[in-house]
Amino acid sequence: MRLGRIASPDGVAFVAIEGPPDDLSEAVAREIAEHPFGTPTFTGRQWPLADVRLLAPILASKVVCIGKNYAAHVAEMGGGDFPDPVMFMKPNTAIIGPNVPIQLPADANPVHFEGELAVVIGRPCKDVPAARAAENILGYAIGNDVSARDQQKKDGQWTRAKGHDTFCPIGPWIVTDVDPADLELRTEVNGETKQLSRTSLMIHDVGAIVEWISAVMTLLPGDLILTGTPEGVGPIEDGDTVSIGIEGIGTLSNPVVRKGKP
């Protein structure tokens, strides 16, 4: 099932998106009553997907991120030994949905894209063994851990560099029935491939990540986990379009604008 959140002439709603995954022209958004957790119930209202606007598919209480989770990306960023997951957080105010502009701060350069598999938590959980992680996951989406590299280097930690408003595109929806173990991930900027990898190359897989994070903090329904980016990260500039595709999920695209540009 594909779960999303839309803005329609009737307001904002959670929906199930039905139709061929490779032909969205025929897709329909069926309104979900209340929320998408558990077994969704439907109101009976529906809209052609072409007549509504996709929003970020979930309102997360927090975004927990894993860094340095692909060996080739660790190497391109200067190496190091990271036997345990490297954890940091982005504020939920950084979240935007598909086609919403990533806003580059006027004083940040370079700003990099980072295409990532996103995990959406489905129920409250704490101290989850890796083998039972799937029981607590609603589904998977696509994320972009946008990062201001100059601020990251200057600050010596990552909160400012990765926490700007619009620095966490998520979407285009949540897929509940995909196996995250070995999916192709491709990031394109203006149609040119920049990242091409597979989730099977993660150093720490989804189960290990959920176990590590939930040993520290309680995860709540809708919380997002970004699982790390592969090699190939690079700068984005005013006027660019970043598109991240993950096999079995879809494509998340966002234009890029520079704040303060005349």
Side-chain angles (χ1 to χ4, degrees), residues 155-177:
D155 295 352
Q157 49 84 16
W158 301 354
T159 303
R160 180 169 68 124
K162 292 173 175 282
H164 290 275
D165 290 356
T166 76
F167 271 27
C168 190
I170 295 291
W173 39 64
I174 301 162
V175 177
T176 62
D177 54 358

Side-chain angles (χ1 to χ4, degrees), residues 3-57:
L3 302 172
R5 199 166 62 94
I6 63 162
S8 78
D10 300 312
V12 174
F14 287 108
V15 295
I17 298 164
E18 300 179 351
D22 55 351
D23 184 10
L24 294 179
S25 65
E26 300 297 324
V28 172
R30 295 179 61 206
E31 185 179 41
I32 294 172
E34 297 182 352
H35 60 73
F37 306 104
T39 302
T41 57
F42 296 91
T43 66
R45 296 200 299 178
Q46 65 180 40
W47 304 267
L49 188 62
D51 292 349
V52 300
R53 178 165 59 92
L54 283 170
L55 306 174

Side-chain angles (χ1 to χ4, degrees), residues 2-257:
R2 288 176 290 173
L3 302 172
R5 199 166 62 94
I6 63 162
S8 78
D10 300 312
V12 174
F14 287 108
V15 295
I17 298 164
E18 300 179 351
D22 55 351
D23 184 10
L24 294 179
S25 65
E26 300 297 324
V28 172
R30 295 179 61 206
E31 185 179 41
I32 294 172
E34 297 182 352
H35 60 73
F37 306 104
T39 302
T41 57
F42 296 91
T43 66
R45 296 200 299 178
Q46 65 180 40
W47 304 267
L49 188 62
D51 292 349
V52 300
R53 178 165 59 92
L54 283 170
L55 306 174
I58 203 71
L59 298 173
S61 73
K62 54 184 174 288
V63 184
V64 190
C65 307
I66 299 298
K68 303 181 184 299
N69 199 28
Y70 288 77
H73 176 59
V74 173
E76 77 175 351
M77 298 302 289
D81 183 22
F82 304 95
D84 295 320
V86 176
M87 181 169 60
F88 63 96
M89 298 182 72
K90 296 170 84 86
N92 58 9
T93 48
I95 295 172
I96 56 174
N99 304 312
V100 176
I102 298 167
Q103 298 183 34
L104 308 180
D107 60 348
N109 189 47
V111 176
H112 282 191
F113 61 83
E114 294 190 5
E116 309 199 6
L117 175 71
V119 178
V120 184
I121 296 298
R123 65 185 188 184
C125 58
K126 179 72 168 72
D127 296 321
V128 178
R132 302 191 63 180
E135 300 172 22
N136 299 280
I137 293 171
L138 174 65
Y140 301 89
I142 301 167
N144 187 351
D145 176 21
V146 183
S147 305
R149 295 296 187 211
D150 56 337
Q151 295 178 359
Q152 189 175 359
K153 181 178 180 180
K154 180 179 180 180
D155 295 352
Q157 49 84 16
W158 301 354
T159 303
R160 180 169 68 124
K162 292 173 175 282
H164 290 275
D165 290 356
T166 76
F167 271 27
C168 190
I170 295 291
W173 39 64
I174 301 162
V175 177
T176 62
D177 54 358
V178 67
D179 182 347
D182 184 27
L183 304 175
E184 181 184 277
L185 185 155
R186 180 189 300 265
T187 302
E188 298 180 350
V189 178
N190 303 328
E192 180 181 351
T193 298
K194 300 293 187 178
Q195 292 180 292
L196 181 60
S197 189
R198 303 196 69 86
T199 57
S200 55
L201 297 175
M202 287 182 188
I203 298 170
H204 309 285
D205 65 14
V206 169
I209 289 169
V210 171
E211 180 177 296
W212 181 260
I213 295 171
S214 68
V216 177
M217 65 188 76
T218 299
L219 293 168
L220 300 175
D223 281 352
L224 289 166
I225 299 173
L226 299 188
T227 58
T229 196
E231 75 279 10
V233 300
I236 47 178
E237 303 288 351
D238 181 76
D240 287 345
T241 297
V242 184
S243 297
I244 305 164
I246 297 183
E247 180 183 1
I249 299 178
T251 301
L252 170 68
S253 294
N254 297 89
V256 180
V257 300

